[in-house]
Each structure stands twice: as structure tokens, then as C-alpha cells.
Amino acid sequence: MSLDPSENVTQPKILPSNPIRAPHFSLPQEGEKKRIRQHVKAASHAASDSPEVSKNGSPERSTRNPKSALESGEQNLVNATRKQIQSLADEIAQLAKSNCGSDEFFQGFLTRTTSALASVGGAVWKQDQADQPIKLNYQINLSAVGFAANPDFEKAHHRLLQQVFDSGEPALIGPKSGNDVDVKQAGNPTEFLLLLVPLKIDRKPVGLVEIFQRTGAGPTTQNGYLRFLIQMTDLANQYLANEEIRDFADQKQMWQRLEHFFRQIYEGLDLEQTVYDVANEGRRLIECDRLSVALGNARNCRIRAVSGLDSIERRAEQVRQLNDVTRAVIRSRSPVWYAGDQELPPQIEQPIHNYIDCSHTRMLAVIPIYPPADAKPDRQDKPFDPIGAIVIEQLKDSIVTPSLENRANMVALHAQSAIANAREHRQIFLLPLWKTLGKAAGLFQGTRLLKTWLVLTVVAAVVMTLAMFPYSFGLGAKGSLIPEQRHHVFAKTEGTIVGLDVSDNGDTMVDQGQVLAWMENSELDLSISNLAGKIAKAREEVISANLQIQNSNGRESLSLFERIELENRARQASQLIISLENEKSIREKERQELQVLAPAAGRVIDWNLNQKLMHRPIEKGQKLMTVIDPKTRWLLELEMPERRLYHLFRTMSDNPHPMVHFGLLSRPGLEFEGRVIRVDQKLEVYSDEGNTALVLVEFDNSQLDPELLRSETRVNAQVLCGNESLGYVIFHELIETVQSTWLFWF
């Protein structure tokens, strides 16, 4: 494998060459031991020149052995190195047990391993797929090895790595091995000792750990290096095994999600349901914040479903902006992934910026969806037009990972198949009819045949009964009791009630013309007084003008102009007097109308008149009380809805006075009879039934207890209109509704 960056290979991740987690320590070599002995010896000489204090306090010469001091310094350094190496090994073990990513683990692994071995650098080689050569994935200080000086060295080195990888056994390769004979053979062309240990999962090599170690150590030390690397590689193998288990678990979970996604979107052929399933299940599979589905072409593409929403407000500004984005992307016929840092064509960039300003989306992806590959285009020289698009949004994160792109493309691929199938199914001519016929045909197959015939027999019997059995047809109506002779007392003028001559118990008998109440109107009294003053003043004016004219005849002579002016003044005052007297007579007549008189003899049926009327302002035309004749005949006033008048008039054409059955709400359980005598010619709205006509019904008053004959007593009545089939009696309103609303248009 070439390390030339110009070749088309995956560039490895470069780890730091100077680890800072722990200082570099290594096992002491021969030269290092000599330097340690010199330092310890110098320290012992210095210590021997200084006196020590004896137990009794007198100074004495040191009796320590310089050789023992040297061995003690070496032992302390070895112990410190071992502790440091053990600490680094423990850290690698903790990394292997953690759930960190592959990059983080191998960075920590190589950093600590090279630190523990005090090596120049290291590398991790991995095989991506079976039957392929290994590739460099991670390295530390690989540039210091010297492969760049001779490409043949690099090839020989790679052959060596591949050979060790294929063997699956650790190797300790000395410097400059295999290159003196032929550089085309596998070997170690570097000046460093190579420690090579394969990475394995289930005893199968999947990679290789390589350490570039300094030379100069003995065979025992070198073997110690290799044993240490083998132990650390075993920890890496544990991590790879755990990672593979986690990958299998993630893949299992992903397959479960895929299975659920496929089952949901392919389960039915209803277009709306399919679109909503793609939006909701696709969002869970992609693991994005929001997924929308748009259907249509470049001119009329609209959002049809948004994940997490049952309905869409199509007039909302955000929805309209997203519609513009999908139309622009469909027009370009290419997917768009926008995370805020790439340039886009102007026709797409502007709608996307407008939508992002409105929705505050961090990442937006629009993927057009097309008809299936086996469909035939309208023209052979024209490619397929998109049938819609899926819109993926991230509201918090703007990073587009390869995994996100793969899942999004997979959702788009299957969404276009499911949506295209649903669209094609929806375009079948008379689809509801064929579905109904198909379900009906299934009822006559297998074990359902007997049940179907039994059900059809019962239905046929019910239909024949409804069609052939006659039943009394009646028109229901609500109404009330009213007296034939009743008189409402109205206020003829405005005023305030100051007196009543009726009791509060509703049984006061009165004669025609009897005073029932008195009213006062201070404004009317003031107006009459003012009119009287104006009349008196006008009369004085007339008298004054006439006296001046008479005096001028006897003593003084007036000019013609003055005489005419006096005569005009007298004439105007006389006319004013006539007008004021007429107005006064009208006001006096109104004052007379302040007395409320009984319009006819009878009984005042109103209760609590003192509370309702006394000292209260009354307007002209206001109803004050009702007087009825105790001997009057009582009638029914029914409110017949407009939709039932046809049947009533059809019956009255044969029988002018149809029979009526009614019952009182105050006396349930009893039924009485009457006859229609008159139908109002004008329709008005009297209740919640809409337009209604008043129908007057007479009945024998002796049928009812006199105590029940009270005004406005509510009744439920039924006007008999002959006999009709039982089905028509039950469903006549439904039949008429169909005739008036649906069949009318045909």
C-alpha cells in the first residue's frame, strides 16, 4: 500500500506524535544503567564526605555501601517505570470496556501504548472487507520512519504487514531485514525494531498493530516489548468484539425499524394514509427532527403530510414557503442538502433562505421522488418527472453524516414505490364500486354462503314488510292551548304606572271600559301647561292688536302700513291660538289615555302585576295584561314545519278537516281528539323548526278538566293523513331529504 496522498485511498487519521497524558518511561538499557551507576556513585561520594549524626548525637562517618546505593537507584527507577506502565495499561483496559467510538479508542490505545514502550511511533492497519488488502487507519509519528525517501521501502514494508496479517501470528522484525537481498520481497526497511501483532475477532484477523521501537535492547527486553504489545492488543481485541456486538445490536434494531417501516407504508393503498405513514415512520427511521412529504409536479407541488401533525394549515406562511422550496428543487430534478455553508443555484437558494428564516431550521434536505423504474414515460425521449419530494429537517444539529444520507435515500427510494402504487391504485375507474363488488362476491364463497343467504332472506322479509304493510301516517307538530276570545291590553301612551285596580292572583273579573291601571307622565303635564301659557299669551297679543286698531279710529290716526301690520299680528296670533289649542287637545287626550281600560269583559289572567308594572316606565304599545272570557272556547295552535305542509294540504284536499290526536304536557298518558279548522297562509319562524305555519285545531273542551284549560299549555299533536306503507311512515323524512338535496341536481 502506498502512502502517497495523491493516490485514491482513504486517508488515515493522524494521532498526536507527542502524547501528553503521561511522561515517557522505558525499561533501563545497558547504557542507561551505566549512567545511573555514575549518578548514584557521585551521589554516594558526596554523601560519604558529609558527617552523619550518631544515635548519641556525635558526628560519625557514613558506613553505607556505594554499590547498594546504585542498586537502590536502579530499583526505584524500575519500580516507577513499572507503575507508570501499569497505569497506562489500566487506562487502555478502561477504554476497551467503554462505549467510545473507534477513533477515540485507537487514539487512546496508540497514545498510551507508544508511551508505555517509549517507542518512536505506531500505526493501526485494518481490513475493511474480506479478500482485500489492509489499509492504514490510525498512526502516530509515521512520517519519522522514513518511507517517503524510498517508495520501494514502503512496498516491502506493506508486503511484510500483509504477510504477518495473513499468518495471524505476532512478529518481531529487526531493522533492515530483507532489504539487502531484494527490495521487492517482504521486509523491514526501516532502522527501527518492528513489533507486529494482529487484531482479531473470533480468532480471525481483522487488522494489525504496528509499533516502531528504538533499537539497542537485548533479546529478552525485545521479547518483553512484544509480550506487552500482545497483552495490549488483547484489550483492543476485546474492544473490537464488543464493538461488533454493538454493531450487531444496532443492525438488529435498524432491521426491526426497517421491517416496521416497510410494513406500514406497503400495508395499504390509500394515498393519504400512505403519505402520513411515510412522514411519521420515515422520521423515526432517519432519526431527524421533522420529515414532510410533498406531492405534485414543479408547478403544483404541495405539502401533504408533516410528521407529528394530524392536519396541515395550508395557508400558514411556513407551509407556503416550504411549498416554494419543493417546487424549486423538483424543477432542478436533483436532491439538495443544505447545512448553511454551501453555495446553491439562485433559483433554489432564495426559497431555501426564505424558509429557513421562517422556520429556523439548521439543516434542510429535499429529495425528489420519481415513479417506479418499470413505469413507462409519456414520451421515449423525455425522462420521468418527479411525483413529489420528501423534506428532511434538523432543528438543532446541522451536521450531515453519511449514515443520515444513506437512511434518507433509502426512505426516499421506498417512499416513491409506496406512493406511486397508491397513486396508481387511486386512479382506477370506479374504484369504490369495484371494491364493493369484490367484497360482495366474497360473501357467496365457502362457508359464508349459508350465512349470506340467511341474512339476505331476513333483509328481504323486512323490506317486504316495510313496503307492503300499511300503517297510519301522521304529521307531528308542537303547539299550545289558546282561548278563542282573548284581549291583550296595550299601553296607548308612555308613562309610569302609579296605580292598579286588579289583584295579583290572576282571577280578577272586570267589565268592559273598567279602569285597570293609572299612569303618570310629568312631561305630558308640563307640555299641557306650556301650551296653556302660550295660548294665553297669544290671546293677549290678539286683544292688544285689536285695541290699538279700535283706538286709532276714535282718537289717533294710524298710517296704512301700521294698520296692516297690526292686523297681520292679530291674524297670526289667532292662527297660533288655533294650532296650540289643537295640540293641547291632543295632549289632553293622551293624558286621558293614561288610564288603562279593559277592552272587554272577562278575567285578568296575569299574575304579580304589582311587581311587574308598579312604578315602572311603560312604553307606548307595550303589552300590560291579558283579559279572557271565562266562557270562551279553547283551541289548539300548532306549529307545522314547512317540510310537512305538502302532506297536510294533500290530505285537506280530500278531507278539509283532518283528524288530530294530541296530548298535554301537563297531563301525560291521555290522548284527545280534534279537527283542523284553519291553516295560516303566511310562514314565520316561531321556534327552532325553521319556517312554520300556524294550524288552528278545534276540539271538545269537555274532554279536558277545566283546571287544565290554561293559556299557553304545551301540547304534542299528530295530524292524521291516512295510511301509508310502514317503511314510508318510518323513513319519509329521509326519503324527502334525499329527493330535495341530492336527486334534485339530477
Side-chain angles (χ1 to χ4, degrees):
M1 173 182 177
S2 175
L3 296 179
D4 188 357
S6 62
E7 295 187 12
N8 188 16
V9 295
T10 302
Q11 295 298 323
K13 301 184 182 299
I14 301 177
L15 305 182
S17 59
N18 296 321
I20 59 174
R21 289 294 299 271
H24 286 195
F25 290 98
S26 63
L27 296 174
Q29 308 298 326
E30 296 300 328
E32 294 171 349
K33 290 180 180 180
K34 185 181 293 185
R35 290 193 298 271
I36 292 172
R37 291 190 185 94
Q38 293 176 355
H39 289 298
V40 173
K41 187 176 181 179
S44 63
H45 285 306
S48 63
D49 295 337
S50 59
E52 293 186 0
V53 180
S54 62
K55 292 182 179 180
N56 55 11
S58 61
E60 61 181 13
R61 300 295 296 179
S62 175
T63 59
R64 292 179 181 176
N65 190 354
K67 184 176 180 180
S68 63
L70 176 62
E71 292 176 352
S72 176
E74 291 179 354
Q75 187 63 36
N76 290 336
L77 184 58
V78 170
N79 292 336
T81 303
R82 287 177 177 174
K83 290 181 180 179
Q84 200 63 249
I85 292 174
Q86 185 62 40
S87 175
L88 293 174
D90 292 340
E91 291 181 7
I92 294 176
Q94 292 296 328
L95 274 177
K97 296 177 181 180
S98 66
N99 292 329
C100 62
S102 178
D103 296 348
E104 182 180 356
F105 172 77
F106 281 108
Q107 177 180 353
F109 173 79
L110 276 182
T111 301
R112 290 165 175 80
T113 302
T114 54
S115 298
L117 295 175
S119 58
V120 176
V124 174
W125 305 80
K126 294 184 69 176
Q127 186 183 47
D128 295 336
Q129 296 181 2
D131 300 331
Q132 288 188 358
I134 59 175
K135 296 181 180 180
L136 179 64
N137 282 77
Y138 310 94
Q139 59 92 10
I140 290 180
N141 204 21
L142 190 60
S143 59
V145 176
F147 287 126
N150 192 337
D152 293 334
F153 288 176
E154 182 182 345
K155 295 179 181 179
H157 171 255
H158 187 68
R159 294 190 187 97
L160 174 64
L161 297 178
Q162 191 66 43
Q163 182 177 346
V164 175
F165 175 81
D166 294 338
S167 67
E169 298 295 333
L172 185 65
I173 310 300
K176 299 294 183 179
S177 61
N179 291 285
D180 295 336
V181 180
D182 187 1
V183 296
K184 295 182 180 181
Q185 299 296 325
N188 178 14
T190 68
E191 298 178 354
F192 302 96
L193 178 67
L194 294 186
L195 307 178
L196 301 174
V197 179
L199 293 168
K200 296 181 180 181
I201 299 178
D202 293 336
R203 300 180 181 180
K204 180 180 179 181
V206 295
L208 197 68
V209 177
E210 180 182 23
I211 298 297
F212 300 97
Q213 186 65 31
R214 296 183 179 90
T215 59
T220 303
T221 304
Q222 293 178 1
N223 291 329
Y225 292 155
L226 185 60
R227 287 194 300 272
F228 175 78
L229 183 58
I230 291 173
Q231 294 177 0
M232 297 301 102
T233 306
D234 288 341
L235 296 177
N237 292 337
Q238 294 178 13
Y239 169 80
L240 291 176
N242 294 335
E243 185 182 35
E244 188 175 42
I245 294 174
R246 289 194 298 269
D247 290 342
F248 287 154
D250 293 341
Q251 290 178 8
K252 179 180 178 181
Q253 186 178 10
M254 179 59 66
W255 278 111
Q256 291 176 348
R257 291 182 180 179
L258 281 173
E259 181 183 2
H260 182 71
F261 175 71
F262 295 154
R263 184 171 61 250
Q264 287 295 114
I265 66 173
Y266 291 115
E267 185 175 13
L269 291 173
D270 182 72
L271 181 59
E272 297 298 329
Q273 185 62 41
T274 301
V275 169
Y276 275 96
D277 288 339
V278 169
N280 292 304
E281 302 302 329
R283 186 194 69 81
R284 297 187 183 96
L285 184 60
I286 298 176
E287 296 181 350
C288 60
D289 293 331
R290 185 163 57 214
L291 190 144
S292 306
V293 181
L295 295 181
N297 51 31
R299 291 176 297 179
N300 187 23
C301 184
R302 294 188 306 171
I303 299 297
R304 301 291 294 272
V306 178
S307 59
L309 297 181
D310 294 333
S311 61
I312 303 173
E313 180 56 48
R314 303 190 185 280
R315 293 176 294 180
E317 181 65 22
Q318 186 170 341
V319 175
R320 288 191 291 148
Q321 295 286 355
L322 189 56
N323 287 335
D324 295 339
V325 172
T326 56
R327 293 190 190 104
V329 174
I330 288 177
R331 201 175 293 115
S332 68
R333 307 175 67 87
S334 299
V336 172
W337 291 82
Y338 182 77
D341 56 354
Q342 64 265 38
E343 295 184 359
L344 297 172
Q347 64 271 21
I348 299 177
E349 183 178 16
Q350 188 60 41
I352 287 181
H353 285 172
N354 294 338
Y355 176 70
I356 289 177
D357 293 339
C358 179
S359 64
H360 306 290
T361 298
R362 299 290 298 276
M363 190 281 295
L364 178 68
V366 183
I367 304 176
I369 56 179
Y370 294 86
D374 56 352
K376 295 182 179 180
D378 298 335
R379 291 171 48 187
Q380 297 298 329
D381 58 343
K382 183 180 179 182
F384 287 110
D385 291 328
I387 60 175
I390 64 170
V391 182
I392 302 165
E393 298 179 65
Q394 293 280 26
L395 304 180
K396 298 180 180 179
D397 192 3
S398 61
I399 299 176
V400 179
T401 62
S403 176
L404 179 65
E405 289 190 27
N406 293 334
R407 293 195 299 268
N409 292 329
M410 181 175 55
V411 168
L413 178 64
H414 290 278
Q416 69 184 17
S417 299
I419 292 174
N421 293 338
R423 280 165 53 95
E424 185 177 0
H425 180 262
R426 192 175 187 177
Q427 294 173 356
I428 297 176
F429 180 68
L430 296 178
L431 178 61
L433 176 61
W434 305 132
K435 284 185 176 181
T436 304
L437 293 177
K439 293 179 180 179
L443 297 176
F444 295 91
Q445 298 176 358
T447 58
R448 295 184 178 181
L449 180 60
L450 180 59
K451 296 180 181 179
T452 303
W453 280 114
L454 290 176
V455 172
L456 290 178
T457 303
V458 173
V459 171
V462 172
V463 171
M464 291 181 63
T465 302
L466 293 176
M468 301 180 62
F469 186 75
Y471 195 79
S472 177
F473 178 45
L475 301 176
K478 296 180 180 180
S480 59
L481 288 176
I482 61 170
E484 185 177 16
Q485 298 293 331
R486 60 178 175 176
H487 303 276
H488 297 299
V489 181
F490 299 96
K492 296 182 179 181
T493 185
E494 298 179 355
T496 303
I497 299 291
V498 294
L500 286 171
D501 196 15
V502 293
S503 63
D504 285 348
N505 55 12
D507 59 355
T508 303
M509 299 299 297
V510 297
D511 298 326
Q512 185 176 4
Q514 179 180 337
V515 177
L516 303 178
W518 297 269
M519 293 193 300
E520 286 185 353
N521 191 332
S522 58
E523 293 182 359
L524 183 60
D525 294 338
L526 180 60
S527 176
I528 293 174
S529 177
N530 290 336
L531 290 174
K534 292 180 181 180
I535 291 173
K537 184 177 180 181
R539 286 176 178 173
E540 291 178 357
E541 185 73 20
V542 172
I543 294 172
S544 175
N546 290 333
L547 288 176
Q548 290 183 18
I549 293 173
Q550 292 177 2
N551 292 335
S552 65
N553 293 332
R555 299 178 182 178
E556 299 179 0
S557 60
L558 295 176
S559 64
L560 179 61
F561 175 77
E562 291 175 344
R563 187 179 184 86
I564 293 173
E565 184 179 0
L566 290 173
E567 290 176 353
N568 289 335
R569 240 168 63 187
R571 191 180 301 108
Q572 290 177 359
S574 299
Q575 293 177 353
L576 180 60
I577 291 172
I578 296 172
S579 175
L580 293 175
E581 286 180 347
N582 291 334
E583 185 176 357
K584 182 181 177 184
S585 63
I586 294 174
R587 295 291 180 265
E588 288 177 347
K589 185 177 180 180
E590 290 180 358
R591 184 160 59 182
Q592 293 177 359
E593 292 176 347
L594 291 174
Q595 290 185 348
V596 181
L597 305 179
R603 183 177 65 183
V604 178
I605 63 173
D606 299 275
W607 284 43
N608 297 328
L609 291 177
N610 280 306
Q611 182 180 357
K612 295 178 182 179
L613 300 178
M614 279 297 291
H615 305 293
R616 294 181 181 274
I618 303 299
E619 296 183 358
K620 186 176 182 179
Q622 180 178 340
K623 179 183 175 183
L624 302 179
M625 57 192 76
T626 302
V627 179
I628 65 172
D629 186 356
K631 299 180 181 180
T632 187
R633 185 175 62 160
W634 289 83
L635 304 174
L636 292 182
E637 189 178 62
L638 304 180
E639 299 172 359
M640 184 64 67
E642 180 181 9
R643 63 181 180 273
R644 300 172 185 167
L645 290 178
Y646 166 74
H647 302 285
L648 177 61
F649 292 145
R650 186 187 63 178
T651 303
M652 291 180 68
S653 63
D654 299 331
N655 181 13
H657 304 290
M659 183 69 69
V660 177
H661 291 173
F662 67 93
L664 303 180
L665 267 67
S666 59
R667 191 66 175 90
L670 295 181
E671 187 175 290
F672 309 98
E673 293 183 353
R675 290 185 176 276
V676 175
I677 59 175
R678 190 169 63 251
V679 179
D680 194 356
Q681 299 298 317
K682 186 176 70 172
L683 299 179
E684 292 186 5
V685 178
Y686 296 99
S687 61
D688 56 358
E689 293 285 350
N691 281 351
T692 56
L694 295 179
V695 178
L696 205 60
V697 179
E698 65 176 1
F699 64 96
D700 185 4
N701 293 170
S702 62
Q703 299 180 79
L704 300 179
D705 187 349
E707 292 296 329
L708 298 178
L709 295 174
R710 296 178 179 272
S711 181
E712 304 301 330
T713 299
R714 301 299 296 171
V715 299
N716 289 326
Q718 192 175 53
V719 181
L720 302 182
C721 298
N723 293 331
E724 297 286 350
S725 65
L726 180 60
Y728 187 80
V729 172
I730 298 175
F731 301 109
H732 71 278
E733 290 196 353
L734 175 61
I735 296 172
E736 292 167 2
T737 301
V738 173
Q739 290 174 343
S740 61
T741 56
W742 296 347
L743 298 183
F744 173 78
W745 301 105
F746 298 95

